[in-house]
């Protein structure tokens, strides 16, 4: 009888140790997976995809450029990138993406247009292409590269 009791106690102890070790291993794996990536690592993407994601279109004669998606677990992805396009087409392209300004924002607020280029902060109330949240702003900087070319750099800020 005592021999059977000792075996049962030993078996119960082994079960507790096994369950405890398995639980610790699962917790460790979950923490490592969360810390490692959790889907928010910036990744390179085509500028055509980036422009489409923010509801814009690439300029017809632009190069491929280099763009990045910065995913977020809470907000819509942030997008940024740089590409080149013909200088004479810049203003027409920008005019196809008019800002939906905040009610108290002046039409010229956040805009600079000078001999070096154009810098515009387009503020939005809503973006039709984001399902998780609203696009707050698109910051666009255009630098003139001689008489013929322009370098366009943009970054979005989700709200």
């Amino acid at each position: 009888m005592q021999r059977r009791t000792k075996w049962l106690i030993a078996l119960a102890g082994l079960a507790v140790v096994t369950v405890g070790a398995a639980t610790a291993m699962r917790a460790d794996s979950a923490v490592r997976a969360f810390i490692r990536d959790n889907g928010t690592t910036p990744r390179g993407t085509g500028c055509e995809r980036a422009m489409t994601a923010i509801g814009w279109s690439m300029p017809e004669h632009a190069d491929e450029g280099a763009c990045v998606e910065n995913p977020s677990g809470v907000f819509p992805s942030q997008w940024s990138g740089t590409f080149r396009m013909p200088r004479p087409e810049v203003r027409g392209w920008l005019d196809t993406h008019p800002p939906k300004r905040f009610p108290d924002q002046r039409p010229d607020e956040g805009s600079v247009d000078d001999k070096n280029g154009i810098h515009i902060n387009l503020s939005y109330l809503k973006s039709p292409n984001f399902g998780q949240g609203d696009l707050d702003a698109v910051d666009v900087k255009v630098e003139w590269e001689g008489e013929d070319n322009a370098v366009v750099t943009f970054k979005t800020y989700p709200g």
Side-chain angles (χ1 to χ4, degrees):
M1 183 90 159
Q2 285 182 351
R3 188 176 189 131
R4 187 182 230 194
T5 304
K6 287 181 182 178
W7 275 105
L8 287 174
I9 290 172
L11 204 56
L14 182 61
V16 167
V17 169
T18 302
V19 168
T23 302
M25 287 171 54
R26 285 189 122 203
D28 181 62
S29 294
V31 168
R32 286 179 190 271
F34 180 77
I35 291 171
R36 182 176 52 244
D37 182 352
N38 80 351
T40 60
T41 302
R43 54 184 168 253
T45 187
C47 289
E48 181 76 36
R49 180 172 180 258
M51 289 282 113
T52 300
I54 66 172
W56 285 33
S57 60
M58 277 292 282
E60 186 177 344
H61 298 107
D63 68 8
E64 279 187 29
C67 291
V68 175
E69 176 184 9
N70 289 296
S72 168
V74 179
F75 296 104
S77 292
Q78 284 184 298
W79 302 86
S80 60
T82 301
F83 57 87
R84 284 180 167 71
M85 67 179 290
R87 180 176 174 169
E89 297 176 14
V90 169
R91 288 187 198 333
W93 175 71
L94 287 172
D95 287 344
T96 65
H97 307 292
K100 299 170 189 161
R101 303 229 177 241
F102 291 107
D104 59 345
Q105 191 174 16
R106 292 188 334 265
D108 62 342
E109 188 174 352
S111 301
V112 175
D113 189 344
D114 62 23
K115 65 178 179 157
N116 299 315
I118 302 170
H119 187 185
I120 304 173
N121 184 281
L122 303 176
S123 301
Y124 288 85
L125 293 173
K126 287 211 174 261
S127 173
N129 292 351
F130 285 106
Q132 297 173 332
D134 298 330
L135 179 64
D136 188 42
V138 179
D139 191 50
V140 182
K141 184 176 182 181
V142 181
E143 293 179 309
W144 305 135
E145 202 174 57
E147 292 296 316
D148 298 327
N149 297 304
V151 177
V152 178
T153 303
F154 72 94
K155 182 171 182 168
T156 66
Y157 300 90

